[in-house]
Amino acid sequence: MKRVLIVGAGLSGAVLARKLAENNVASLVIDRNDFLGGLCHSRRDDETGVDMHVFGPHIFNTSNEAVWNFVQRFDRFYPWTNRVKASNSKGVFSFPINLHTINQLFGVNLNPEEARKFIDSKRDASISHPSNAEEKLLSLVGRDIYEVFFKGYTIKQWGVPPSDLPPDILKRIPVRFNYDDNYYFSRYQGFPMSGYTRWIGNMFQHPLIEVKLSTEHDVNMEDEFIHVFYSGPIDEYFNYSQGELGYRTVNFKLIRGRFEQQGCGCINYSDLSVPYTRSHEHNYFSPWETHEKSIVMQEFSSESTRSTPKIYPKCLRADMLVLDKYILMANVRENLSFIGRLGCYRYLDMQQCVEMSLNYADHWLSWYAGLTPVLERMPVQC
């Protein structure tokens, strides 16, 4: 049986491989790492026994019923509500911005209607079409909230001031005029109880899927397969021929100690005087377990190089011009597709990766069966 080649044993590759296998398409999945899961990889910390999210916290959340039903097939999910705090020189606040945050920051006691009018008075109404991330934030929340919660954090996260970032690099900035401190709007959220690596590994458990770790991709192997799905960096695939895309990476400092060192799963640090962007206590990410010790990870953001993990696509204007050239190169290849966060050069969350790979598998199966014209095929998910 002829097979497809999937480069990358992370979440996007796992979902794609499973969906194709369940439609009688065999695959070989390769990954240069010696572990499954990609950026979702988790492992037990030797000293504390805590299941640690190696590349930072991952809280699965979605409102898509089909996505939720799919992911639950491979492990039981423990429900969990993500309640983030923001720490700065003004205090420790509930985040995202909600009625409690507003009342605490400004020293007022407003009801929802009063708070709406108050924030409206703070917004910069002169900015109708924001040209950068700073203008977008000023138009949405005003200068006080921007300075306290977003300016320093954004500089640390992206390495440039918000005025240098495009407005769409920021996710939707919610302001809630009630006391809801749930970080997500999603209907479902939680953790796979066997850990992310085991959960993703269960997706690969199918007789039509072969996985080889510690295996580098080589273009010379592609002729053996009917199609190649590449989830690594798109600029790396093309040998950086059109230039390098910008990425941010993260480094972590691990602090082990007694249980409940910080009192919640995740705290954002928005002041520039604190060198890390956030800290996360991983005991909170497996609340069904009990451990004598705890582990906190402090997260430091920096520029990525060719030899460091690429975590966040920067997606600056110059990057998008380079990306357009790579997409043109990809579209020439009928048997090549790019998937996932790095392949598409998009800041995708887990639920988006699952949904896109499920949809993309359906699209490819239709195309391979001759039901979709070649011109309508999408070599790059985005």
Side-chain angles (χ1 to χ4, degrees), residues 62-215:
T62 183
S63 294
N64 186 316
E65 194 84 27
V67 168
W68 185 240
N69 289 337
F70 177 84
V71 301
Q72 289 186 104
R73 290 172 50 196
F74 305 101
D75 199 3
R76 178 186 173 193
F77 273 68
Y78 189 95
W80 195 77
T81 301
N82 191 21
R83 304 189 190 278
V84 175
K85 305 303 175 187
S87 175
N88 51 58
S89 61
K90 301 288 186 180
V92 179
F93 297 85
S94 176
F95 197 80
I97 308 299
N98 59 64
L99 188 56
H100 186 237
T101 317
I102 296 168
N103 283 330
Q104 181 185 356
L105 177 63
F106 295 101
V108 293
N109 185 16
L110 304 177
N111 63 35
E113 183 179 357
E114 292 169 337
R116 286 181 187 275
K117 294 178 181 179
F118 182 76
I119 293 300
D120 281 341
S121 72
K122 295 287 185 180
R123 293 190 179 106
D124 191 335
S126 68
I127 304 173
S128 56
H129 296 91
S131 62
N132 56 60
E134 179 178 80
E135 290 185 353
K136 180 177 180 180
L137 286 163
L138 292 174
S139 69
L140 291 173
V141 296
R143 182 161 296 278
D144 292 321
I145 290 177
Y146 164 68
E147 296 278 355
V148 171
F149 294 105
F150 296 105
K151 184 176 180 179
Y153 187 93
T154 303
I155 292 172
K156 290 190 291 185
Q157 173 74 4
W158 297 106
V160 295
S163 56
D164 288 351
L165 295 171
D168 54 358
I169 201 170
L170 296 169
K171 295 186 175 183
R172 182 169 178 250
I173 307 298
V175 178
R176 297 172 182 162
F177 298 101
N178 55 34
Y179 291 102
D180 179 11
D181 63 348
N182 184 349
Y183 191 76
Y184 299 115
F185 286 103
S186 302
R187 182 179 177 185
Y188 309 107
Q189 57 183 302
F191 301 105
M193 294 185 67
S194 298
Y196 280 107
T197 297
R198 177 70 64 84
W199 169 62
I200 289 174
N202 289 341
M203 296 184 198
F204 288 124
Q205 296 302 310
H206 192 284
L208 293 182
I209 301 174
E210 179 185 3
V211 180
K212 289 185 177 181
L213 301 178
S214 302
T215 302

Side-chain angles (χ1 to χ4, degrees), residues 5 10 20 32 35 44 120 122 135 191 214 216 227 284 292 310 331 335 348 371 374:
L5 175 65
L20 293 180
R32 63 170 52 141
F35 55 81
R44 291 281 173 188
D120 281 341
K122 295 287 185 180
E135 290 185 353
F191 301 105
S214 302
E216 289 283 350
H227 201 94
Y284 284 91
E292 294 182 1
K310 294 174 170 62
N331 284 331
N335 67 333
L348 299 173
L371 302 178
V374 173

Side-chain angles (χ1 to χ4, degrees), residues 178-295:
N178 55 34
Y179 291 102
D180 179 11
D181 63 348
N182 184 349
Y183 191 76
Y184 299 115
F185 286 103
S186 302
R187 182 179 177 185
Y188 309 107
Q189 57 183 302
F191 301 105
M193 294 185 67
S194 298
Y196 280 107
T197 297
R198 177 70 64 84
W199 169 62
I200 289 174
N202 289 341
M203 296 184 198
F204 288 124
Q205 296 302 310
H206 192 284
L208 293 182
I209 301 174
E210 179 185 3
V211 180
K212 289 185 177 181
L213 301 178
S214 302
T215 302
E216 289 283 350
H217 166 260
D218 185 337
V219 292
N220 294 320
M221 67 173 62
E222 294 184 2
D223 291 340
E224 304 174 24
F225 301 91
I226 56 177
H227 201 94
V228 177
F229 298 94
Y230 190 86
S231 69
I234 188 172
D235 54 345
E236 180 180 313
Y237 179 88
F238 290 110
N239 249 343
Y240 308 102
S241 60
Q242 304 301 315
E244 293 192 39
L245 295 168
Y247 301 87
R248 298 288 282 177
T249 192
V250 289
N251 298 291
F252 300 100
K253 178 181 178 180
L254 304 182
I255 302 172
R256 297 173 177 87
R258 65 181 184 84
F259 184 59
E260 293 190 4
Q261 295 181 66
Q262 67 179 32
C264 68
C266 187
I267 300 178
N268 292 353
Y269 292 85
S270 50
D271 288 343
L272 285 172
S273 59
V274 178
Y276 44 91
T277 55
R278 56 183 181 170
S279 63
H280 16 95
E281 189 161 9
H282 287 236
N283 299 56
Y284 284 91
F285 303 149
S286 50
W288 57 91
E289 298 181 351
T290 301
H291 299 277
E292 294 182 1
K293 291 186 177 181
S294 175
I295 183 167

